[in-house]
Amino acid sequence: YNFYALDLRKHGRSLLPHQRAYYAKDLSEYFEEISAAIRIITQTDGNDHLIIQGHSTGGLTTALYADRGEEKDQINALVLNSPFFAVKATGVEKKLLNLFATWSRWQPGVKIPVEFEGFYGQSLHRDYQGEWDYTLAWKPIQGHPLHGAWIRAINRGHQQLYQGLRLKMPALILRSDKSATVSEMNDSVFESDIVLNVADMETYSPYLGTEVTVVTIN
């Protein structure tokens, strides 16, 4: 198989010095480069079978693209790894996030005053307790600052999913067997999904279409 890695705008190698990482007002902003990548892969390079994989927010974005993107008919299958189908938060936290999302209509650049402990990043990078070597400027241990406009974009994407998509291609959903909330580095960080709620993935995966398979990874 030929493998292509796409860094969307304001992510990874595509992030420019003057840009705010991950900043977007709508997830459809990414459709332009996904379409361009698909045309390069299929038309320029001549690949005749396309499987798109998306992780976390990329899983949500990929699903939305597969439903309404310009080159959606070129996609033969989806693989979504721990897709971001719902926010993992308490009721109060969700209300606060929605408040910032609403505020972003007038001040889209407002930063959300939340701090991440960095347990997930520490479990990945080899400078801490992980095994992978990657550029921390692109993916900091404690994450990039989040903005109200991004939360609003995510909320809109979730609502589009909950209304039901009409994917014509089969979709494989991969998720952990459990989620955990942690306050220190321990085995749960390496054995559980500490970012998202796996029950949400199970609940909303059927909203993708009629040919959806969910596989639990122990």
Side-chain angles (χ1 to χ4, degrees):
Y1 293 89
N2 294 321
F3 179 85
Y4 296 78
L6 173 61
D7 284 341
L8 297 173
R9 64 186 67 186
K10 303 174 186 176
H11 288 70
R13 297 164 297 176
S14 299
L15 180 63
L16 301 178
H18 68 278
Q19 294 176 330
R20 290 172 286 191
Y22 306 163
Y23 184 86
K25 295 181 180 179
D26 194 285
L27 296 181
S28 64
E29 293 178 16
Y30 301 119
F31 287 8
E32 182 179 8
E33 56 257 44
I34 296 175
S35 293
I38 290 176
R39 287 192 288 269
I40 292 171
I41 293 168
T42 59
Q43 299 174 20
T44 304
D45 291 358
N47 294 281
D48 58 6
H49 193 84
L50 177 64
I51 299 174
I52 296 186
Q53 178 177 343
H55 166 66
S56 193
T57 306
L60 174 62
T61 304
T62 297
L64 297 176
Y65 182 91
D67 179 62
R68 60 196 69 183
E70 184 179 2
E71 300 290 341
K72 65 180 181 179
D73 292 337
Q74 300 296 324
I75 305 173
N76 296 102
L78 294 181
V79 177
L80 306 183
N81 171 24
S82 301
F84 187 10
F85 284 170
V87 175
K88 180 185 177 185
T90 65
V92 173
E93 290 170 339
K94 288 182 179 180
K95 289 181 179 179
L96 289 174
L97 289 175
N98 289 335
L99 179 62
F100 276 98
T102 301
W103 190 6
S104 72
R105 293 181 180 180
W106 300 277
Q107 290 187 297
V110 61
K111 291 184 179 180
I112 299 174
V114 60
E115 294 184 2
F116 299 98
E117 297 88 346
F119 299 134
Y120 175 64
Q122 292 179 48
S123 73
L124 296 178
H125 202 278
R126 70 179 187 182
D127 286 353
Y128 296 83
Q129 299 184 42
E131 58 182 302
W132 305 100
D133 184 23
Y134 53 85
T135 303
L136 291 175
W138 294 342
K139 187 178 176 67
I141 293 299
Q142 293 183 312
H144 288 289
L146 299 181
H147 299 85
W150 183 83
I151 291 295
R152 189 161 180 253
I154 294 297
N155 286 349
R156 186 180 294 113
H158 285 160
Q159 292 308 312
Q160 292 169 351
L161 170 65
Y162 302 160
Q163 291 170 8
L165 306 184
R166 301 167 299 279
L167 302 191
K168 298 179 180 179
M169 71 291 291
L172 172 63
I173 315 302
L174 305 174
R175 69 169 182 83
S176 176
D177 64 332
K178 57 185 175 296
S179 293
T181 300
V182 298
S183 57
E184 60 182 7
M185 287 297 293
N186 53 43
D187 291 343
S188 294
V189 176
F190 300 91
E191 300 172 352
S192 312
D193 192 324
I194 64 171
V195 178
L196 300 174
N197 189 335
V198 297
D200 292 330
M201 302 174 203
E202 191 76 30
T203 297
Y204 295 114
S205 288
Y207 287 64
L208 295 170
T210 58
E211 197 172 350
V212 178
T213 302
V214 180
V215 174
T216 300
I217 308 300
N218 296 318

